[in-house]
Amino acid sequence: MVKILVVEDDKAINGLVCAYLREKGYEPTACYNGEEGLTAMENASFSMIISDIMMPKMDGFEFAENVRASDKQIPILFMTAKDDKPSKLFAYTLGVDDYVVKPFDMDVFMLKVAALLRRAGIAESKSLTVGNLTMNAEEHTAYLDGEELALTVREFDLLFKFLSYPKKTFTRSALMNEFWDYDSSATSRTVDVYMAKLREKTSACDGFEIVTVHGLGYKAVLK
């Protein structure tokens, strides 16, 4: 499921946006200022960010600047009451992808969300093919050169995530939060063990390799 971070200090608007996102099949996470948003990004991976500008502690401009310092690709959509040209120009200069002025039509807003995800190449497809490996998320099956590849549910989910976002680095803590939930016995070493198993099981795959990003985590690199 596509995870979207919603950063908005107005709880009513935040709740409304999250409700619409859920209705469309997305998985929203609500935060109420830029500092909370950055913390959320340290603990989980997201496909898109929706953010207000005027917020306490850290506003949207500073938040977007911090995001772009570490992630150049994730789509950022501003939703704000600031309708002046300087604010719009500054937002786009920071690397924001789109800008919506409040109040806005929620149906049109959802179309913008879908368009940004599509533009970023983040499809809601249930299957993918990389080299000689084909995966189907709906069936939870993987085939290597036509032969079914034996993967556990967690191994499948990890691999599908990596191949859905090639070149994107996933930190160990983000992987633990997403794939191990509240399993208190899981550690960063647990992630390393799973990645070693995945590398072994996919050693015959010719379209990618799982690379260690020292000090951070892992990513899939297409060949």
Side-chain angles (χ1 to χ4, degrees):
M1 187 177 288
V2 175
K3 292 191 172 188
I4 297 178
L5 180 63
V6 181
V7 187
E8 162 67 66
D9 65 313
D10 186 312
K11 292 187 177 181
I13 295 175
N14 197 318
L16 179 64
V17 171
C18 286
Y20 266 82
L21 289 170
R22 288 191 195 94
E23 187 179 311
K24 294 297 182 181
Y26 302 115
E27 184 178 336
T29 294
C31 290
Y32 302 100
N33 59 65
E35 287 185 359
E36 287 185 17
L38 292 178
T39 299
M41 293 186 71
E42 290 174 1
N43 296 318
S45 55
F46 297 95
S47 299
M48 180 179 177
I49 296 169
I50 297 171
S51 178
D52 188 15
I53 292 178
M54 294 180 287
M55 297 181 290
K57 294 186 179 180
M58 180 186 291
D59 66 19
F61 290 135
E62 188 178 353
F63 172 59
E65 189 173 20
N66 275 276
V67 170
R68 281 290 175 254
S70 59
D71 191 329
K72 306 294 185 187
Q73 304 301 322
I74 187 169
I76 302 175
L77 171 61
F78 268 177
M79 53 178 187
T80 177
K82 292 179 75 65
D83 194 20
D84 59 291
K85 184 177 179 180
S87 292
K88 293 178 181 179
L89 291 176
F90 186 50
Y92 287 121
T93 300
L94 290 174
V96 170
D97 297 277
D98 207 345
Y99 193 109
V100 178
V101 177
K102 301 172 186 175
F104 48 78
D105 183 276
M106 285 303 302
D107 291 327
V108 174
F109 183 78
M110 288 299 118
L111 290 174
K112 283 183 172 287
V113 169
L116 278 178
L117 289 169
R118 190 166 56 248
R119 210 178 303 160
I122 301 168
E124 295 177 72
S125 173
K126 298 297 182 182
S127 63
L128 58 81
T129 298
V130 179
N132 57 346
L133 176 72
T134 298
M135 303 183 73
N136 187 305
E138 209 158 46
E139 300 172 358
H140 247 71
T141 53
Y143 291 89
L144 181 60
D145 288 324
E147 296 288 328
E148 188 163 3
L149 183 63
L151 296 172
T152 67
V153 172
R154 187 171 282 144
E155 287 170 349
F156 180 95
D157 290 341
L158 281 164
L159 185 58
F160 196 89
K161 186 75 172 186
F162 279 112
L163 295 180
S164 295
Y165 303 91
K167 297 183 181 179
K168 178 178 174 65
T169 298
F170 295 92
T171 65
R172 289 175 177 84
S173 60
L175 293 172
M176 286 172 61
N177 277 286
E178 181 167 354
F179 296 104
W180 277 266
D181 296 322
Y182 300 104
D183 184 353
S184 59
S185 64
T187 65
S188 59
R189 176 60 183 157
T190 307
V191 178
D192 295 337
V193 169
Y194 265 83
M195 301 316 298
K197 289 179 181 177
L198 265 184
R199 281 177 171 147
E200 183 180 347
K201 290 186 176 183
T202 60
S203 60
C205 296
D206 60 15
F208 69 93
E209 64 177 323
I210 298 172
V211 175
T212 302
V213 181
H214 294 291
L216 288 175
Y218 298 91
K219 66 179 177 179
V221 177
L222 303 185
K223 296 180 179 178

